[in-house]
Amino acid sequence: LAKTTQPISMDSYEGQEVNITCSHNNIATNDYITWYQQFPSQGPRFIIQGYKTKVTNEVASLFIPADRKSSTLSLPRVSLSDTAVYYCLVGDIGTGGFKTIFGAGTRLFVKA
Amino acid sequence: GAVVSQHPSWVICKSGTSVKIECRSLDFQATTMFWYRQFPKQSLMLMATSNEGSKATYEQGVEKDKFLINHASLTLSTLTVTSAHPEDSSFYICSAPGAGEKLFFGSGTQLSVL
């Protein structure tokens, strides 16, 4: 299981773009990179997932360099409701299970 | 999208009693489910992997006799906290792997043991 390292916390203001980088130096060939968002007293929610290069959906973009040893979650124009903890997970769900080890996550605080 | 339903959302019990938490995959089958606990302002800690039709796999340091896991069907896993004590008070979350290499999480259960 690839270990992940993220900044513990980040502050931003409404309307700004926020980039959160995750390091995963020992990522395996079959591993996917998935980001989750968690609000207090709720279960994590899927944000975005990728394997290489760039992935974009309606809420975020995920940038993955060629060596895949890191990834960056980009949240465009954040709002107060984006205040949450963001987790980067790396693993291979295709082998019959996805044993997940959560890192500390990044606490994003969006200010008005 | 895939939905994982977890009940109850919160429960308060007396010390020494047992509490059961249910985790259901509503629109997909899950041969594997995961159970976590989370303390305030901390990350999720994986407790065990629930396997349909076989014994659960517990992480190191997790007491299997205290946290009983049953995965009786392809859509239901239960976690029973037996003889609960105040130190068992925590936020418990389940998840199941679904389509597209994703994990789907329940909404969590806040357990308070008096």
Side-chain angles (χ1 to χ4, degrees):
Chain A
L1 296 167
K3 180 181 177 181
T4 60
T5 303
Q6 306 172 230
I8 295 297
S9 65
M10 295 181 69
D11 287 347
S12 182
Y13 288 93
E14 282 190 293
Q16 290 188 332
E17 176 184 81
V18 171
N19 295 310
I20 305 174
T21 297
C22 177
S23 296
H24 28 81
N25 291 318
N26 59 339
I27 188 170
T29 302
N30 295 331
D31 285 347
Y32 282 77
I33 301 159
T34 312
W35 285 78
Y36 294 87
Q37 175 192 56
Q38 186 184 26
F39 297 113
S41 300
Q42 294 186 28
R45 184 182 72 167
F46 171 86
I47 301 175
I48 197 166
Q49 183 181 72
Y51 183 80
K52 61 181 180 181
T53 63
K54 177 184 174 181
V55 180
T56 298
N57 62 22
E58 62 276 8
V59 298
S61 294
L62 179 60
F63 299 91
I64 306 168
D67 66 6
R68 305 202 323 125
K69 293 184 182 299
S70 67
S71 59
T72 299
L73 172 71
S74 181
L75 304 173
R77 298 180 298 282
V78 294
S79 63
L80 296 177
S81 62
D82 292 317
T83 294
V85 179
Y86 293 82
Y87 295 99
C88 161
L89 267 69
V90 175
D92 178 11
I93 199 172
T95 55
F98 191 17
K99 182 175 175 179
T100 51
I101 304 297
F102 278 77
T106 298
R107 291 186 175 275
L108 173 64
F109 185 68
V110 180
K111 296 177 279 190
Chain B
V3 176
V4 173
S5 176
Q6 185 174 344
H7 292 281
S9 297
W10 57 270
V11 58
I12 301 173
C13 69
K14 293 182 178 180
S15 185
T17 61
S18 295
V19 174
K20 180 184 285 187
I21 303 170
E22 291 189 349
C23 181
R24 293 179 184 273
S25 55
L26 294 187
D27 49 2
F28 67 103
Q29 294 182 335
T31 56
T32 300
M33 291 186 178
F34 302 98
W35 288 95
Y36 315 80
R37 66 187 301 181
Q38 185 176 35
F39 293 107
K41 297 194 181 298
Q42 293 188 23
S43 185
L44 285 74
M45 183 188 77
L46 180 66
M47 298 174 65
T49 302
S50 173
N51 304 299
E52 188 270 334
S54 64
K55 293 182 179 180
T57 304
Y58 291 83
E59 294 301 301
Q60 189 173 10
V62 177
E63 300 177 57
K64 62 180 180 181
D65 293 332
K66 181 165 189 62
F67 299 101
L68 299 180
I69 291 174
N70 186 292
H71 197 142
S73 75
L74 288 171
T75 59
L76 174 64
S77 175
T78 60
L79 168 67
T80 301
V81 183
T82 62
S83 186
H85 292 285
E87 58 266 30
D88 298 323
S89 298
S90 187
F91 190 58
Y92 293 87
I93 309 170
C94 68
S95 76
E101 313 290 331
K102 301 183 185 77
L103 275 178
F104 297 92
F105 290 83
S107 54
T109 298
Q110 181 64 52
L111 170 63
S112 296
V113 184
L114 303 178

